[in-house]
Amino acid sequence: MKYAFDIGGTKIEFGVFSDQGEILHRQKVATPLEDRDSFTGAIADLVLAADAQFGTASAGKALPPVGISFAGGLDPESGAVISANVPPIKGWPIGAGLSAVLQRPVRVENDADCFALAEAHLGAGQGHRTVFAIILGTGVGGGIVVDGHFIGGRSGIRGEWGHGNDISGPLMRHGIKARQCGCGGAACLDPWGAARGMERIHTALHGKDLSSQEITTAWRAGNGNALKTIDVFVDLVAGQLRLMVNVLDPDIIPVGGGLAAEPGLIARIDAVVRTNVLGRYDQALVVPGHFFADGGLRGAALLHDAVI
């Protein structure tokens, strides 16, 4: 049995998994943001309740290990959280800290990496060697798994294809003014390449605020303004994604996050990417992930497996 957490800025999702990967229990609570004691207390309460419910605290039984997926990065040497939308854990070696509180092994990885792991082992990437999984949710993220293992990570950041690029040229071509990214970059993809980015594009083009769901619904209905918004969105995302394809030459790119629920949009991105990369891809490359809604949690449950 394994315990897994997916920790975000608004909620903590907890899952109990069998050794075969079946979800036996799932629960969500609000993420405590006021102090670290409240945060660790919420984690401990969920774990101890599961120990009692499933009898894992019985004498002689090994306590289930804990895997954690979270939106942020870790210092590979100290294990300290170097970026996160949960203030109490910034600068804290969360794995070692929670291991001491919970008295069992705890392993922590970025949420996009956990999603990539789940897709590589159990989802759309199963049977493929190189899996570059991307997130198109609130922001843009990514994780890389090769032969079942994470690669890279010297600095604690990997697969972050939404940052460090400059899309000011494409934005200007579409009549949109670039904006500074939260990371400090002048014109990164992240503010424009996910759900919030789609909404910003629509507002910039048409002067009207709509949610990403409203935009995609209007797009499927053939609305002219929405068609233009999606054209621009696909141009920006596919333009940066093709660079990653040329660099990594992945076997498959599973997509997670809210926009992965739009298969027509993902197919459109896939077609543009495959048309413009250097390599030949006869089959779909960019596809909705099997676990686009809960890949972080499922990947966290795999973190203690010997193959990782």
Side-chain angles (χ1 to χ4, degrees), residues 106-302:
V106 175
R107 184 169 177 184
V108 186
E109 293 289 349
N110 171 266
D111 58 347
D113 290 326
C114 288
F115 169 64
L117 196 65
E119 291 296 334
H121 284 267
L122 304 170
Q126 193 171 15
H128 293 289
R129 184 184 179 210
T130 303
V131 178
F132 174 49
I134 66 172
I135 303 292
L136 296 177
T138 303
V140 175
I144 308 165
V145 172
V146 177
D147 292 331
H149 300 263
F150 295 132
I151 64 167
R154 176 184 176 184
S155 68
I157 302 294
R158 58 190 169 205
E160 295 295 345
W161 67 290
H163 297 279
N165 30 33
D166 185 343
I167 64 167
S168 56
L171 285 170
M172 290 176 61
R173 188 171 67 245
H174 293 296
I176 300 175
K177 183 180 179 180
R179 57 179 287 162
Q180 187 175 36
C181 180
C183 76
C188 296
L189 175 67
D190 188 75
W192 303 99
R196 301 294 82 78
M198 181 184 292
E199 293 163 5
R200 291 187 182 103
I201 291 169
H202 194 81
T203 300
L205 291 175
H206 311 298
K208 186 175 182 180
D209 295 335
L210 293 179
S211 70
S212 59
Q213 288 184 325
E214 290 172 324
I215 295 168
T216 54
T217 298
W219 169 64
R220 291 194 303 270
N223 175 271
N225 285 350
L227 289 169
K228 175 62 176 176
T229 296
I230 296 299
D231 284 346
V232 174
F233 178 83
V234 170
D235 180 51
L236 297 177
V237 171
Q240 300 306 307
L241 193 52
R242 69 181 182 181
L243 172 62
M244 299 302 297
V245 172
N246 288 339
V247 171
L248 296 173
D249 193 22
D251 294 293
I252 197 162
I253 304 177
V255 183
L259 291 182
E262 293 286 346
L265 176 64
I266 303 307
R268 176 87 176 276
I269 294 171
D270 173 66
V272 175
V273 168
R274 288 194 289 128
T275 298
N276 291 283
V277 294
L278 296 176
R280 177 176 173 178
Y281 293 88
D282 295 325
Q283 303 296 322
L285 177 64
V286 186
V287 300
H290 288 188
F291 307 118
F292 67 84
D294 63 356
L297 187 70
R298 290 179 180 272
L302 297 172

Side-chain angles (χ1 to χ4, degrees), residues 31-39 85-92:
T31 304
L33 301 177
E34 55 273 18
D35 57 62
R36 192 174 300 160
D37 287 343
S38 298
F39 175 82
N85 54 2
V86 183
I89 66 175
K90 287 184 179 179
W92 184 49

Side-chain angles (χ1 to χ4, degrees), residues 36-45 47-48 51 63 66 92-106:
R36 192 174 300 160
D37 287 343
S38 298
F39 175 82
T40 57
I43 297 290
D45 286 348
V47 167
L48 294 177
D51 284 346
L63 295 174
V66 173
W92 184 49
I94 182 174
L98 285 176
S99 181
V101 171
L102 302 174
Q103 295 296 295
R104 68 195 75 204
V106 175

